Amino acid sequence: MSSPATSDREKVVSKLPGWLRQSLKIRAAQHGVEIQAAVEQGIRDWCNLASATTAVDTSGADSFSTFLPPGQWEDFRQIATDRRVSLIQGLAQSVQLWLDTNPAPHVARPEITRRIVVCNQKGGVGKTAITAGLGEALAEDPDALRPVRVAKALTQALRQSETHADEPAQDENPLDIENLPGPGQRVLLVDFDPQCHLTNQLGATPLPMDGDSLTNHMAGDPKGDLRDLIVSVDEEGFNGRLHLLPACHDAFLLDVRLSAVRAREAGLERALAPLEADYDVIIVDCPPSLGLSMDAAAYYGRRRESERPGNSGALIVVQAEDSSADAYDLLTTQFDDLRGDLQVDIDYLGIVVNLYDSRRGYIATSSLQGWVDIKDPRVVGLIGDLKEQKEAVRVKQPLLSYAPKSQQAIGMRALAREVL
């Protein structure tokens, strides 16, 4: 049956099997089209065929409604009658025809492996959580839909923070949430911090001091193939797209060992370059340091010859408080010195304001405004201080596996799309 809609379309109600409706929903999102437009095109193409297509299993079909141009549903009904197929079968064939003619797009692969250096000289701002969450969001299944905050609306968040400082933070507007397919990127997370926080948080084991490690490869003293140290993160959840290079406590000695190496700034690149062909994105969780290890990380994230600006670079994690601003100044000064000394371009991918809670009052809200006012680099992520991240760390699971619908997970997906 059909009933008039308030626009130039009419509402039609029929039935469709759940599996076909879900396939339609995912494929429409993958192509960035509305479901009603996909159904309209499928019906049009089906009606233009010489005869009905192969029958579709419609067992278990339940209610399905959409909006079509006036008259299309009546024309469709007549053609279905002429072909002696039910409306449900005709609609199922139309949807399947659209799916067949609009296959899932291939996952976009970068020409040059993206290298994202997550950094800040200050500890405790949540660099590790952002590294993990960003990598998880980039590696999510391209054939499944997940909630994403497609518009962060920082101005709205600021306004809410200033006027409702005594209320729970409401950084997300439900109207800004959209279900989108995952990017499907092949991601390597590199734990570059001797404290091994990323390794421990994701349930892996730090590498033994008497074995091989990233430090050994950077210092020119490898004991094997670095690939042999890599572990998969939640193989079932990410289908082998998310890997981790665990840390070793020997990284506490990295600066000393690098001081004896020629071209020490290139140490991290020499170690990781052989792995790049296996990944779309490599994300480095940096230690809270301004030493030689940070120089090596910054150099690794530099813009290479023929690489487009913003493909790789530094993602700076801060909190909405004063000490983060002091650390930010130290870090950007180090980057400026490297640019001048080595004549390289190091792009800023943006600032992530992490662990934000407007209930902390003026310090939080004014600091957030200060980060937004910087403009270059711009704020690309606002992640709330909520319990799910802490719980995920406690149970040693990826946040997006442990709490995929949490506001923090939704924010991580928004961040991933900002830096893609």
Side-chain angles (χ1 to χ4, degrees):
M1 61 177 292
S2 64
S3 59
T6 56
S7 64
D8 60 348
R9 289 175 173 260
E10 61 180 3
K11 183 178 181 180
V12 299
V13 179
S14 183
K15 289 186 176 182
L16 206 62
W19 65 268
L20 189 56
R21 185 169 59 250
Q22 182 67 7
S23 296
L24 171 64
K25 185 177 181 181
I26 293 172
R27 192 69 54 79
Q30 289 173 331
H31 285 279
V33 301
E34 294 184 353
I35 291 177
Q36 63 184 20
V39 176
E40 175 189 343
Q41 185 62 53
I43 290 177
R44 182 183 300 116
D45 293 343
W46 186 82
C47 290
N48 288 333
L49 295 174
S51 61
T53 58
T54 303
V56 175
D57 181 5
T58 59
S59 59
D62 54 16
S63 181
F64 173 79
S65 62
T66 189
F67 292 90
L68 298 175
Q72 186 183 44
W73 188 249
E74 291 304 321
D75 293 342
F76 168 72
R77 288 170 64 99
Q78 184 60 54
I79 293 174
T81 299
D82 294 342
R83 294 177 179 173
R84 298 182 178 181
V85 299
S86 67
L87 289 177
I88 296 173
Q89 179 63 217
L91 179 60
Q93 291 183 19
S94 298
V95 170
Q96 187 61 60
L97 179 60
W98 185 84
L99 291 171
D100 292 341
T101 54
N102 293 271
H106 295 295
V107 173
R109 305 295 184 193
E111 293 183 5
I112 299 176
T113 298
R114 307 192 65 203
R115 301 159 325 280
I116 300 175
V117 178
V118 181
C119 54
N120 192 330
Q121 182 269 339
K122 183 180 184 298
V125 296
K127 295 186 294 294
T128 298
I130 296 300
T131 299
L134 173 60
E136 293 160 24
L138 288 171
E140 283 195 307
D141 189 351
D143 294 319
L145 301 181
R146 296 288 186 270
V148 182
R149 191 184 339 132
V150 295
K152 296 186 299 300
L154 290 181
T155 301
Q156 178 186 10
L158 276 170
R159 183 165 61 250
Q160 291 174 337
S161 300
E162 293 167 352
T163 57
H164 304 290
D166 58 342
E167 299 177 6
Q170 299 291 332
D171 302 330
E172 300 82 20
N173 185 335
L175 297 178
D176 294 329
I177 305 300
E178 184 174 344
N179 288 319
L180 296 175
Q185 300 287 285
R186 301 167 301 181
V187 179
L188 174 64
L189 304 176
V190 177
D191 192 348
F192 195 43
D193 189 338
Q195 299 176 87
C196 306
H197 289 320
L198 180 62
T199 301
N200 290 321
Q201 285 187 20
L202 293 177
T205 302
L207 299 171
M209 290 284 287
D210 58 351
D212 202 7
S213 67
L214 177 60
T215 299
N216 289 336
H217 284 257
M218 291 180 63
D221 186 26
K223 298 182 180 180
D225 191 332
L226 201 59
R227 286 184 179 84
D228 295 337
L229 306 180
I230 293 173
V231 296
S232 184
V233 177
D234 189 358
E235 180 78 24
E236 181 178 353
F238 296 98
N239 198 27
R241 288 182 298 270
L242 183 63
H243 292 167
L244 168 70
L245 177 56
C248 177
H249 293 302
D250 67 355
F252 280 114
L253 305 174
L254 179 59
D255 281 10
V256 174
R257 296 183 66 179
L258 280 179
S259 64
V261 176
R262 296 185 61 183
R264 57 199 182 194
E265 294 86 1
L268 184 59
E269 180 161 322
R270 286 194 298 268
L272 296 181
L275 307 178
E276 291 178 4
D278 299 332
Y279 298 98
D280 301 311
V281 186
I282 295 179
I283 308 177
V284 181
D285 182 27
C286 296
S289 167
L290 292 176
L292 296 180
S293 56
M294 190 62 236
D295 283 351
Y299 183 83
Y300 183 59
R302 79 193 186 286
R303 190 193 316 161
R304 294 177 180 172
E305 184 178 355
S306 76
E307 186 173 17
R308 66 173 176 81
N311 187 67
S312 300
L315 187 67
I316 304 176
V317 182
V318 301
Q319 288 185 0
E321 40 78 35
D322 294 339
S323 60
S324 282
D326 297 336
Y328 171 82
D329 290 339
L330 291 171
L331 181 67
T332 53
T333 298
Q334 181 178 13
F335 278 31
D336 289 341
D337 290 343
L338 281 172
R339 289 189 181 104
D341 294 344
L342 302 178
Q343 297 298 297
V344 294
D345 292 315
I346 303 174
D347 295 328
Y348 290 121
L349 302 182
I351 296 172
V352 180
V353 182
N354 192 30
L355 300 173
Y356 181 70
D357 188 346
S358 63
R359 293 173 297 182
R360 293 178 181 139
Y362 175 73
I363 293 296
T365 58
S366 60
S367 294
L368 176 57
Q369 183 64 64
W371 294 119
V372 172
D373 288 344
I374 290 177
K375 306 299 183 186
D376 185 19
R378 66 187 180 91
V379 173
V380 294
L382 178 63
I383 309 297
D385 186 7
L386 302 171
K387 64 183 179 64
E388 285 80 8
Q389 177 64 55
K390 298 180 180 66
E391 291 173 351
V393 171
R394 173 65 65 86
V395 298
K396 298 185 183 300
Q397 290 183 20
L399 169 66
L400 273 65
S401 299
Y402 174 77
K405 296 182 179 180
S406 67
Q407 291 300 327
Q408 287 171 319
I410 290 170
M412 293 294 186
R413 296 187 185 103
L415 171 62
R417 282 157 176 79
E418 286 288 334
V419 302
L420 269 177

